[in-house]
Amino acid sequence: MQLVDKCLVYFKAGDGGNGIVSWRREAHVPEGGPWGGDGGNGGSIILVGDHNMNSLFEFRNKRRIVAKNGGNGENELCGGKNATDLYVKVPLGTQVYDAKNNKLIVDIVKSDQQFILCFGGRGGHGNAYFKSVKNVAPSLHENGEIGEEINAILKLKFIADIGIIGLPNAGKSTLISTITNAHPKIANYQFTTLTPVLGIVNHNGKKIVFADIPGLIEGAAEGKGLGHDFLKHIERCNILIHLISGSCDDNKNILKAYETINEELKKYSKKISQKKMIVVINKSDIEESELNYEELKKNINGKVFLISALEKKGINELLTYIFNKYKPKKIILKKEKAREREYTKTAKIIRADKHTWEVKSDYLKYWAHRIPLDTKDNLFRFNQKMESVDVEKKAKNKGAKSGDALIVYGNELVVE
């Protein structure tokens, strides 16, 4: 399957259903009151971490994800049906950004972790909701809220405890297939692996996730080879295994091979270059590997391992060392708070022509949708919302005269 680790997706939660105006009309109830039901809530969009996914491939041709709307209210105080929330599975390591400002919204790092990306709109109230001692027969009702929407950028950074890095043909695929249940393509040529491969290692009753990061080359930090595509996947690794082929056919100069990868890590990210690194010479089954191993040990600080991934020599010692060094990171998930829709109660008046004025206000935009101007009670209520932000006063200060038109998000009202 093709690796897709970045995509742009439009998400839209469901709109709330509309409340209705209805009256109880029965022979045995001569003064039946309001009987209009509320609308149902729209479906929210909820992201769920799924450890079985390893790519954003499913979103390649699915760039619009829309939840269902809530049902409208009905007669006899019947409420509209709430829409079912839409659960969207994403691979672990998925970061979600707002395409507007490139701000990180959430990082899905745990299996079954849930995050409400878009809240469904609340259903509008029917006229029965507005009944009171002062108003026993209200003709008030509301449309449902519009569900939240967002253009989101999904980016996938693989989550692995240990990352295996190195130049092409170092034997990374052979190593991960030897120590884990992963089965990457293995061949004697460069760039055999074109996507990161994850595998789980069981050792002495413990489990750790290893990742085979496709071969890096000199200039990878500038995007050469497969560089930029895969350097980002190293960022989450706790420890890096720097695997170097001991064969002179692969590396004429063992020190240069070692330094090449280190330089690329420094250029790409200082943080990555400071990660714990275990240096491993592979292909001990080849005669010159022993000499290269000794050469490297003399010239670098720290422990160096000599193994043969093909013949499984030195593997147990390497794994024991890794499992002793490894300390799992504690992942603390922030509790998501229910987001309230808050609008600053302000309004701006703009002249459209000599006798027409346009009102700009997020607060009134919200209520212009919620309050349909189809009853006297609703018109009175909407005027109250207008008065709360001094629309008419501000319009007159701008030069509006009695009889001029006020355009408020599709509604045309008149300046008194």
Side-chain angles (χ1 to χ4, degrees):
M1 182 173 69
Q2 178 186 351
L3 174 69
V4 178
D5 57 8
K6 182 179 178 180
C7 58
L8 176 66
V9 182
Y10 170 76
F11 294 95
K12 169 72 169 67
D15 299 338
N18 300 331
I20 67 164
V21 173
S22 174
W23 306 98
R24 188 173 185 183
R25 294 289 183 260
E26 294 175 277
H28 61 282
V29 186
E31 295 182 3
W35 231 17
D38 297 340
N41 297 327
S44 295
I45 292 181
I46 303 172
L47 302 182
V48 184
D50 184 357
H51 69 276
N52 292 313
M53 296 176 68
N54 59 9
S55 171
L56 297 172
F57 183 81
E58 292 183 18
F59 299 95
R60 188 182 66 165
N61 298 315
K62 193 177 182 182
R63 298 301 175 92
R64 284 180 59 86
I65 296 178
V66 181
K68 291 184 177 180
N69 298 332
N72 293 331
E74 298 179 12
N75 296 326
E76 300 182 6
L77 303 180
C78 291
K81 186 178 180 182
N82 291 331
T84 304
D85 291 334
L86 181 57
Y87 291 84
V88 180
K89 292 182 179 180
V90 296
L92 303 189
T94 299
Q95 295 179 318
V96 183
Y97 292 83
D98 188 335
K100 268 187 188 176
N101 52 25
N102 208 34
K103 183 180 178 182
L104 178 65
I105 299 171
V106 65
D107 195 358
I108 304 294
V109 294
K110 277 193 169 183
S111 188
D112 298 323
Q113 177 186 344
Q114 295 187 7
F115 181 82
I116 303 174
L117 182 63
C118 296
F119 281 87
R122 290 175 295 189
H125 294 299
N127 65 331
Y129 173 85
F130 295 99
K131 183 180 178 180
S132 66
V133 175
K134 292 182 179 180
N135 190 355
V136 295
S139 58
L140 290 163
H141 70 114
E142 292 175 335
N143 290 332
E145 286 182 339
I146 295 174
E148 290 183 333
E149 62 182 346
I150 188 173
N151 281 304
I153 299 170
L154 307 186
K155 294 181 181 180
L156 176 60
K157 289 183 181 178
F158 282 100
I159 295 178
D161 305 303
I162 314 294
I164 307 172
I165 61 172
L167 294 169
N169 234 22
K172 298 183 296 300
S173 296
T174 303
L175 177 59
I176 200 167
S177 66
T178 297
I179 63 177
T180 77
N181 54 353
H183 300 288
K185 182 179 179 182
I186 299 172
N188 189 27
Y189 56 82
Q190 294 188 351
F191 301 117
T192 308
T193 304
L194 297 177
T195 65
V197 176
L198 302 183
I200 298 173
V201 176
N202 291 288
H203 186 73
N204 294 336
K206 295 181 181 177
K207 290 183 181 180
I208 293 182
V209 179
F210 281 62
D212 167 15
I213 309 297
L216 306 176
I217 62 171
E218 190 171 359
E222 286 82 39
K224 288 185 180 178
L226 303 174
H228 271 174
D229 289 340
F230 303 115
L231 275 166
K232 62 189 173 187
H233 295 301
I234 302 172
E235 292 177 16
R236 296 184 187 270
C237 296
N238 194 317
I239 297 174
L240 299 178
I241 295 176
H242 185 173
L243 194 66
I244 307 170
S245 171
S247 169
C248 290
D249 291 338
D250 298 323
N251 298 307
K252 303 293 183 188
N253 185 322
I254 199 72
L255 284 173
K256 186 181 178 184
Y258 168 76
E259 289 165 359
T260 296
I261 293 296
N262 287 353
E263 283 301 311
E264 293 309 317
L265 296 183
K266 286 177 187 175
K267 288 178 189 175
Y268 182 76
S269 165
K270 185 179 178 181
K271 187 178 178 181
I272 288 179
S273 68
Q274 293 174 342
K275 286 182 179 289
K276 293 178 187 175
M277 184 179 288
I278 299 168
V279 181
V280 180
I281 299 292
N282 188 26
K283 304 186 181 180
S284 64
D285 46 294
I286 296 174
E287 190 175 341
E288 63 263 25
S289 289
E290 185 76 41
L291 295 174
N292 281 325
Y293 167 67
E294 296 296 337
E295 176 73 10
L296 203 58
K297 274 207 306 182
K298 281 190 297 183
N299 288 279
I300 69 170
N301 293 322
K303 190 172 179 65
V304 181
F305 286 86
L306 178 64
I307 68 164
S308 171
L310 184 65
E311 296 184 353
K312 301 182 181 180
K313 291 180 180 177
I315 297 295
N316 192 62
E317 182 189 356
L318 173 62
L319 290 180
T320 300
Y321 182 82
I322 291 170
F323 274 73
N324 287 337
K325 283 282 182 185
Y326 172 71
K327 292 181 181 178
K329 293 179 182 177
K330 288 184 179 179
I331 299 175
I332 300 172
L333 300 177
K334 293 181 181 178
K335 286 189 177 180
E336 184 183 9
K337 295 179 181 178
R339 288 172 282 187
E340 291 294 328
R341 299 181 190 224
E342 295 181 359
Y343 301 107
T344 306
K345 292 182 72 171
T346 59
K348 186 177 180 181
I349 310 299
I350 300 170
R351 184 192 285 272
D353 59 38
K354 189 175 180 181
H355 296 292
T356 306
W357 306 82
E358 191 172 354
V359 180
K360 294 290 184 183
S361 166
D362 287 342
Y363 175 74
L364 290 179
K365 183 180 180 181
Y366 173 79
W367 285 111
H369 170 75
R370 292 297 306 276
I371 305 175
L373 305 187
D374 54 0
T375 70
K376 285 184 179 180
D377 282 355
N378 271 15
L379 182 58
F380 180 76
R381 186 181 181 210
F382 188 69
N383 279 329
Q384 287 180 319
K385 302 293 183 187
M386 299 261 286
E387 287 172 12
S388 71
V389 289
D390 295 324
V391 168
E392 193 164 284
K393 181 180 176 181
K394 289 176 181 177
K396 287 180 178 178
N397 288 342
K398 285 275 189 175
K401 305 295 182 185
S402 180
D404 284 359
L406 279 174
I407 308 299
V408 190
Y409 298 98
N411 298 317
E412 184 172 331
L413 304 173
V414 178
V415 178
E416 292 184 357

